[in-house]
Amino acid sequence: MTRSPLRVEHASDWTVVTLDRPEVRNAIDQATVDALHTVCADLEHEPRTLIVTGSGGIFASGADIAELRVRRAADARRAINQAVFMRVRALPMPVIAALDGYALGGGAELAYAADIRIATPSVKIGNPETGLGIMAAAGATWRLPAIVGEARAAEMLLTGRILDADEALSWGLVSALHPADELLAAAHALADRIARNDPLATRYTKQVLQTEPLDQPALVNELQAELFESPEKIRRMTAFLERRAR
């Protein structure tokens, strides 16, 4: 029986996905992509915060080179990794990437698809694809500039520069560093903070964050109009005013 490339744990407010191919440093192969599509289908049906991490002190060393080597033009046009990372990015609720060790190539691009990235001091993140005769084609060329700015993204993608933890933090590629034995707890703490907020307001905020800036004002107005009419808004604001009046 073939072992799953992912370990998946569900709770009412969150799902944890652990990349689990330690024999190849959690390289992302077709089976991993298929399993991620299954997770996305579940979270699209029942929205929950997603935490993505890796086993064995490594997030993901990249796409599976053995598979990439035999792929041809038709495979590139199928956008195998790009499509699943776009699906991860578009999930209704936030995605948290908890990074340890290598997050390279396709592993880095999966991390870029998350809304929040935290890491350990041993993280190494970047895109060495041009050194292997290909491009970073699963989201790095448009997500990385939005995260770290065009100049820094260009340097990373054109030189293959790998950032260490301090560089990733100072560049804004990750938002916090935690010891390895506290990383998953920190991710859960973020998920718990998200869960305390109104789920619909959270979903709408994520939707706006993923919208082009020029289109945001009109969308914000429409979504805020819906929230202004929601019973949950009345309940939460009433509870706030009652606490303040005590």
Side-chain angles (χ1 to χ4, degrees), residues 3 14 38 42 53-54 84 86 97 101 114 118 138 147 149 164 188 197 208 226 229:
R3 184 170 62 86
W14 48 260
T38 299
D42 174 68
T53 191
V84 75
M86 290 180 72
I118 60 175
I147 297 168
D164 64 22
H188 278 289
N197 298 327
V208 172
E226 290 187 35
E229 298 293 332

Side-chain angles (χ1 to χ4, degrees), residues 8 16 77 115 126 153 157 161 169 176 186 193 200 203 213 220 227-229 238:
V8 183
V16 175
R77 294 187 177 101
D115 301 287
L157 295 173
R161 178 175 175 178
L169 182 64
R193 291 184 64 179
L200 186 60
R203 291 176 61 176
V220 164
L227 293 171
F228 271 19
E229 298 293 332
T238 299

Side-chain angles (χ1 to χ4, degrees), residues 131-199:
L132 294 170
I134 60 172
M135 298 167 55
T141 54
W142 62 89
R143 292 198 183 100
L144 194 55
I147 297 168
V148 302
E150 291 186 5
R152 285 173 164 169
E155 180 181 340
M156 288 180 67
L157 295 173
L158 295 174
T159 69
R161 178 175 175 178
I162 307 301
L163 303 187
D164 64 22
D166 290 337
E167 291 169 326
L169 182 64
S170 67
W171 284 25
L173 190 49
V174 300
S175 60
L177 299 177
H178 301 275
D181 60 354
E182 299 176 11
L183 180 65
L184 201 54
H188 278 289
L190 287 170
D192 289 343
R193 291 184 64 179
I194 291 168
R196 288 196 290 270
N197 298 327
D198 175 29

Side-chain angles (χ1 to χ4, degrees), residues 80-103:
I80 297 168
N81 286 10
Q82 182 189 117
V84 75
F85 296 166
M86 290 180 72
R87 197 171 181 184
V88 168
R89 180 64 176 164
L91 287 172
M93 291 292 283
V95 178
I96 301 166
L99 312 174
D100 191 12
Y102 294 118

